[in-house]
Amino acid sequence: MAFKQLVAAISIALSLSAAQGAAVKEKRATCSNGATVGDESCCAWFDVLDDIQQNLFQGAQCGAEAHESIRLVFHDSIAISPAMEAQGQFGGGGADGSIIIFDTIETAFHPNIGLDEIVNLQKPFIAKHGVTPGDFIAFAGAVALSNCPGTPQMNFFTGRAPATQAAPDGLVPEPFHTVDQLIARVNDAGQFDELELVWMLSAHSVAASNDVDPTIQGLPFDSTPGIFDSQFFVETQLRGTAFPGSGGNQGEVESPLPGEMRLQTDHTLARDSRTACEWQSFVNNQSKLLSDFQFIFLALTQLGQDPTVMTDCSDVIPISKPAPNNTPGFSFFPAGKTMADVEQACAETPFPSLSTLPGPETSVTRITPPPGA
């Protein structure tokens, strides 16, 4: 069975288990804090949770450290290539923590520039609690997401052995890559298709720039970077103009909203015929956004692993707060923007009818980068 199909089967099993929980009594372990988990080994992760919520995420905030921890999950996980393995080369270990174990190598790769800050922040927690880097990256990413209102319930599995080699360079997508390059890369990594590529980029709903442009730090990718919602999919479809030249601005597209950054890859995927309709499908559809991202996050954190021998410790991950009343399930145009500003590329489905926020146009608040950025 292909890896993606295996993860899909596990996702379905998790959903069925939750739905049947009231009718089926599972063997549970009770931790010292009174919480119940599916496996006793999961209890130790509550200590890790308390520690990172207070000392890494500044009191369970959806801030810069959370954004970078989410980014680290993707950059560690996607660095795997079965195609290279088939040619007799080492193709990386996927979600194995290699970006932390071999940080002096991997954080120097061009797409990983800026991740050395969050790696250095996470290392002491890994040493203190005696967990593997691969497990910690997945855990910190899931907890970080739970700190952002509107996020789905995240799944977390343990059992990743430490990486023994650094991942090869060239496996993490760049913000200036073409749609063809992006689709080929995720298909090689985990047999993901162009629709699932779009699901991965849902994480940009709670993301900000870090060294995309060395002259500008902490510019969010949408106007609600502290909320997991579909505004990212609305605002990337507003008309924007590519910056002239390259250099420090390579991979960057001018956003029509002041204080916001748009990546070239997001801009092109929102307009490519293979991905535009899936991109638009998340506008005003929070339930689809949640279910698709929940699946793809689990799949990414298990790349290179055998999910059938891992331990489900999802009980430890906090449940996110609901999105504020003005956002759950509903998208909107930022102040001063209307349907006339949409550069729609999906020919199959009309763009949803949205209201415009009242008031004058305002600048999006910048996210303060992690210490050392």
Side-chain angles (χ1 to χ4, degrees):
M1 181 183 291
F3 174 78
K4 189 174 70 176
Q5 293 172 311
L6 181 59
V7 173
I10 290 176
S11 297
I12 293 172
L14 285 171
S15 299
L16 289 174
S17 175
Q20 298 170 352
V24 179
K25 290 185 178 180
E26 300 180 32
K27 185 178 180 180
R28 309 278 290 174
T30 301
C31 304
S32 60
N33 63 355
T36 60
V37 292
D39 189 277
E40 187 177 4
S41 65
C42 301
C43 291
W45 286 96
F46 282 109
D47 290 336
V48 186
L49 173 66
D50 292 342
D51 195 1
I52 66 173
Q53 287 287 56
Q54 184 62 38
N55 300 308
L56 177 61
F57 297 134
Q58 311 302 316
Q61 297 297 308
C62 182
E65 293 81 7
H67 297 322
E68 288 300 285
S69 292
I70 298 165
R71 180 183 173 216
L72 190 64
V73 170
F74 179 81
H75 286 243
D76 183 54
S77 300
I78 203 68
I80 184 171
S81 174
M84 291 180 65
E85 294 284 351
Q87 296 172 2
Q89 307 173 58
F90 177 64
D96 62 356
S98 65
I99 197 169
I100 285 182
I101 297 173
F102 301 97
D103 58 318
T104 58
I105 298 173
E106 292 194 34
T107 61
F109 297 163
H110 190 265
N112 293 340
I113 291 175
L115 283 172
D116 56 317
E117 295 116 15
I118 192 62
V119 165
N120 288 333
L121 288 175
Q122 290 191 6
K123 274 186 167 183
F125 296 97
I126 294 170
K128 177 180 178 180
H129 295 282
V131 297
T132 67
D135 280 352
F136 186 84
I137 289 174
F139 183 72
V143 174
L145 282 160
S146 76
N147 291 338
C148 303
T151 310
Q153 176 63 49
M154 306 311 300
N155 294 308
F156 166 63
F157 283 65
T158 65
R160 298 166 187 80
T164 57
Q165 297 184 63
D169 196 1
L171 297 182
V172 179
E174 297 267 23
F176 52 81
H177 279 170
T178 66
V179 175
D180 285 342
Q181 289 175 305
L182 296 171
I183 292 174
R185 176 78 280 274
V186 300
N187 183 260
D188 176 31
Q191 298 184 6
F192 300 116
D193 60 26
E194 64 275 11
L195 304 186
E196 289 156 324
L197 168 61
V198 175
W199 301 359
M200 294 178 195
L201 294 174
S202 300
H204 284 183
S205 173
V206 286
S209 64
N210 187 4
D211 291 296
V212 176
D213 183 337
T215 66
I216 308 172
Q217 293 294 304
L219 295 189
F221 297 150
D222 75 359
S223 61
T224 57
I227 303 169
F228 189 84
D229 61 10
S230 58
Q231 275 310 110
F232 166 72
F233 292 99
V234 175
E235 294 166 22
T236 45
Q237 293 183 77
L238 300 177
R239 299 182 190 280
T241 305
F243 277 112
S246 57
N249 293 330
Q250 188 178 27
E252 187 180 343
V253 172
E254 185 177 16
S255 171
L257 300 181
E260 183 175 295
M261 178 181 283
R262 183 182 301 176
L263 298 183
Q264 179 181 315
T265 46
D266 294 339
H267 182 91
T268 54
L269 284 165
R271 290 156 178 78
D272 189 275
S273 60
R274 292 163 289 183
T275 51
C277 287
E278 187 66 14
W279 199 274
Q280 182 181 292
S281 73
F282 291 119
V283 175
N284 228 21
N285 195 343
Q286 185 81 354
S287 61
K288 182 179 188 301
L289 178 68
L290 299 185
S291 62
D292 290 348
F293 184 70
Q294 184 186 51
F295 166 80
I296 206 66
F297 181 84
L298 174 62
L300 283 168
T301 59
Q302 294 184 341
L303 281 176
Q305 308 296 321
D306 179 359
T308 64
V309 298
M310 301 181 80
T311 302
D312 183 5
C313 289
S314 303
D315 294 314
V316 183
I317 306 299
I319 297 175
S320 174
K321 296 178 181 178
N325 292 334
N326 66 326
T327 58
F330 300 100
S331 303
F332 55 85
F333 289 124
K337 303 299 179 183
T338 67
M339 184 62 205
D341 297 292
V342 175
E343 193 171 34
Q344 188 189 11
C346 176
E348 300 172 10
T349 309
F351 195 87
S353 177
L354 305 178
S355 61
T356 298
L357 287 185
E361 182 179 78
T362 58
S363 179
V364 180
T365 302
R366 182 176 297 192
I367 303 297
T368 303

